[in-house]
Amino acid sequence: MKTPRSRSGGTLGKVMMYAPIALELLTLMRRSQGKRRGKYTKARKRDRAFDFLLGQAQKRMKKQGARRW
């Protein structure tokens, strides 16, 4: 007889549970860094890459049912 698998029991479940919280914290941190840096200062290549990845993660974490046609 097979034992039932739980979704949140493993490491992946914990990561998926904390991912939205970590994403929000990273977004707040990057926004505060941008305010300190200034409006017209060009970001470093590493910062631009990190901002791109952060934006993609935010796009993926949004609810799928929220599309407007």
Side-chain angles (χ1 to χ4, degrees):
M1 184 171 177
K2 292 184 179 180
T3 59
R5 294 184 184 188
S6 64
R7 290 187 181 183
S8 63
T11 306
L12 183 61
K14 290 178 184 174
V15 169
M16 292 302 292
M17 186 175 76
Y18 291 118
I21 299 166
L23 192 60
E24 287 297 320
L25 291 175
L26 286 172
T27 304
L28 290 172
M29 183 185 73
R30 292 297 297 164
R31 198 175 295 152
S32 69
Q33 283 179 352
K35 287 179 182 176
R36 273 187 283 141
R37 187 175 56 229
K39 187 175 181 180
Y40 299 108
T41 308
K42 187 174 180 181
R44 291 181 294 183
K45 191 172 185 178
R46 183 186 67 194
D47 291 335
R48 289 194 308 262
F50 185 74
D51 288 337
F52 172 75
L53 290 174
L54 192 59
Q56 292 297 311
Q58 286 176 327
K59 191 186 289 187
R60 301 281 192 274
M61 293 299 290
K62 286 187 179 177
K63 295 179 182 175
Q64 294 294 332
R67 292 185 183 175
R68 294 179 65 190
W69 300 98

